[in-house]
């Protein structure tokens, strides 16, 4: 059969994360261990569709101020708007607007294939990177420490555009 459902939401990100952790704790995502915390409102519209025997889910965030603290990052990720769609084995993101510390992302889009090893099929977007804030953190990363050893500081803002990215999520290939 076929089904279509659509609903608006205005929910608390911390409570949503707690629920998602309980639901996903026994699955392959292990309760989302890389997300330390979340806060603020999640607002938008979600839909659930079943066509030709296959489920599809989507959501559009609007006027949100959701803060997500990832274990790997020193600053929270703030998500203000964007869309996501899930199909079995795939996730697509589009029109993502948000920030990481004093750096901002606009119009980010990506398609991911969710196999044993997640793969980026495509990605693109624009970023305004606050180098005064980012550089000390980048310099402290073990993978970059030696390459950046002779550069004590970098100042200013870098406007960057990711034209495409693909490959394993752990080691994608970029074109900027």
């Amino acid at each position: 059969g076929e089904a279509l459902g659509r609903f608006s939401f205005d929910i608390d990100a911390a409570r949503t994360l707690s629920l998602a952790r309980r639901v996903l704790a026994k699955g392959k995502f292990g309760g989302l261990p890389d997300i330390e915390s979340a806060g603020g409102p999640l607002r938008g519209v979600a839909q659930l569709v079943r066509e030709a025997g296959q489920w599809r889910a989507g959501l559009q965030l609007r006027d949100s101020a959701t803060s997500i603290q990832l274990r790997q990052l020193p600053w929270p990720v703030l998500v203000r708007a964007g869309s996501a769609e899930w199909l079995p084995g795939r996730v697509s993101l589009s029109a993502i607007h948000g920030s990481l510390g004093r750096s901002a992302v606009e119009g980010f889009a990506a398609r991911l294939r969710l196999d044993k090893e997640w793969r980026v099929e495509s990605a693109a977007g624009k970023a305004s990177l606050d180098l005064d804030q980012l550089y000390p953190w980048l310099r402290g990363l073990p993978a970059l420490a030696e390459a950046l050893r002779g550069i004590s500081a970098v100042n200013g803002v870098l406007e960057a555009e990711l034209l495409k990215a693909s490959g394993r999520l752990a080691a994608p290939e970029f074109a900027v």
Side-chain angles (χ1 to χ4, degrees):
E2 294 187 11
L4 171 63
R6 180 179 292 237
F7 57 92
S8 296
F9 58 89
D10 185 346
I11 54 180
D12 179 71
R15 289 182 184 206
T16 304
L17 176 60
S18 178
L19 175 63
R21 282 190 167 135
R22 284 192 300 255
V23 169
L24 298 173
K26 295 180 183 175
K28 64 181 175 181
F29 299 109
L32 305 170
D34 290 331
I35 300 176
E36 292 181 345
S37 63
L42 280 166
R43 296 184 186 110
V45 177
Q47 69 179 26
L48 189 60
V49 178
R50 181 173 168 87
E51 294 178 312
Q54 189 170 14
W55 285 100
R56 184 175 80 229
L59 66 94
Q60 294 81 40
L61 292 178
R62 296 185 187 123
D63 301 321
S64 288
T66 305
S67 176
I68 302 167
Q69 183 64 57
L70 299 174
R71 186 174 319 283
Q72 302 89 335
L73 301 174
W75 311 280
V77 175
L78 179 65
V79 180
R80 291 187 301 278
S83 297
E85 182 178 44
W86 171 85
L87 295 151
R90 293 205 184 326
V91 170
S92 297
L93 306 171
S94 61
I96 304 296
H97 294 272
S99 61
L100 171 66
R102 296 188 309 250
S103 297
V105 173
E106 293 184 30
F108 178 76
R111 281 193 333 259
L112 304 172
R113 190 173 62 222
L114 310 177
D115 288 328
K116 291 177 187 173
E117 185 174 26
W118 290 19
R119 296 192 62 81
V120 176
E121 292 181 336
S122 67
K126 293 182 180 181
S128 178
L129 306 173
D130 185 314
L131 299 177
D132 298 350
Q133 185 180 48
L134 290 174
Y135 186 74
W137 172 68
L138 291 171
R139 193 169 178 223
L141 294 174
L144 297 175
E146 182 59 32
L148 300 176
R149 185 172 40 108
I151 305 169
S152 62
V154 176
N155 301 327
V157 174
L158 175 66
E159 299 293 332
E161 182 173 3
L162 175 63
L163 302 173
K164 73 176 195 176
S166 63
R168 295 180 311 125
L169 190 58
E173 299 170 13
F174 298 102
V176 291

